Amino acid sequence: MYIDMIAEMNEINSENVYMAIQRDVRETVFGAIYTYMHKSEQNKLLVRKIYSRYENNLDAARLVVQKVCGCTLLEEEIRWLDQCLRASMRKRGRRKRYTQLEQEAVWRKQKERCAICGRQVPFQDSHLTYKISWNFVGDELPDNLQILCSDCNSRRDPRLARGVYNVLCAKKGGSKQ
């Protein structure tokens, strides 16, 4: 009810707010696990050990979420977290360089619009960025690229869990952090 009221007051589709909340929850959990893994080599080894014990990666991801965060998530979030965790463990030390053709493909896939504010963006003014920061998952996730306009890119925050904020601010052109 509260979310619906906030969405209505800001002339935003409440479904977009709920989807952003869902993304923020799973990104918050991933951020907590990532931080845990990078606190010590022992923590990183524990997560790798859990993954090596289970044939089913989703079972391993569920156990990691339970051990690190003490919560249970829906299957959809576990799938997403599993992808991110495995990408994080595979991450290479260097960024991939994307060709203009690869950038144009992402731009066309987004219908020539900014992923945050939704405004039309000419290709020459577009910026190719990562949805989940390269620092977290490298170039290992499929569909982790997005196109942003100059304004959204200049205000982009590499932290996780900023979806609700972006949804609320994109409508009125407010400051995105």
Side-chain angles (χ1 to χ4, degrees):
M1 179 102 159
Y2 173 78
I3 300 300
D4 295 326
M5 289 170 41
I6 294 293
E8 186 178 327
M9 288 171 24
N10 288 283
E11 300 170 5
I12 301 168
N13 180 338
S14 62
E15 184 64 28
N16 292 344
V17 180
Y18 283 109
M19 287 172 49
I21 291 168
Q22 180 183 11
R23 283 190 307 271
D24 282 359
V25 166
R26 67 186 184 192
E27 288 179 10
T28 299
V29 170
F30 173 63
I33 295 168
Y34 181 88
T35 300
Y36 170 83
M37 287 172 58
H38 289 83
K39 268 189 179 167
S40 74
E41 196 60 35
Q42 184 178 355
N43 292 354
K44 193 180 289 188
L45 287 172
L46 175 65
V47 172
R48 288 183 184 276
K49 193 176 194 177
I50 290 170
Y51 263 86
S52 69
R53 274 194 216 144
Y54 286 86
E55 284 185 36
N56 182 336
N57 287 335
L58 298 182
D59 290 339
R62 261 188 224 89
L63 183 58
V64 169
V65 169
Q66 186 64 46
K67 280 195 174 295
V68 175
C69 300
C71 65
T72 304
L73 299 175
L74 297 172
E75 192 75 9
E76 182 180 345
E77 278 70 41
I78 292 295
R79 266 192 240 299
W80 182 87
L81 281 164
D82 171 56
Q83 275 191 315
C84 290
L85 287 170
R86 287 185 295 120
S88 180
M89 290 186 276
R90 285 190 315 263
K91 182 181 160 205
R92 296 185 186 102
R94 300 184 89 170
R95 290 178 190 235
K96 178 181 175 189
R97 294 191 186 267
Y98 292 94
T99 67
Q100 183 171 339
L101 285 174
E102 290 170 315
Q103 292 176 33
E104 285 178 4
V106 175
W107 179 69
R108 279 193 203 90
K109 184 178 179 182
Q110 286 182 207
K111 298 181 170 85
E112 304 172 8
R113 297 192 172 279
C114 173
I116 292 177
C117 70
R119 289 184 299 206
Q120 195 88 30
V121 56
F123 180 75
Q124 62 273 16
D125 296 332
S126 68
H127 299 268
L128 185 70
T129 66
Y130 297 93
K131 294 174 188 174
I132 303 296
S133 174
W134 184 88
N135 294 332
F136 291 104
V137 295
D139 291 304
E140 305 300 323
L141 278 181
D143 294 329
N144 192 34
L145 297 174
Q146 64 184 352
I147 293 292
L148 300 180
C149 67
S150 294
D151 288 343
C152 290
N153 188 52
S154 67
R155 295 183 210 129
R156 184 172 183 274
D157 188 331
R159 291 178 293 173
L160 295 167
R162 301 299 288 175
V164 173
Y165 185 83
N166 287 336
V167 166
L168 289 173
C169 293
K171 173 71 178 163
K172 306 234 183 205
S175 172
K176 292 166 194 71
Q177 294 182 345

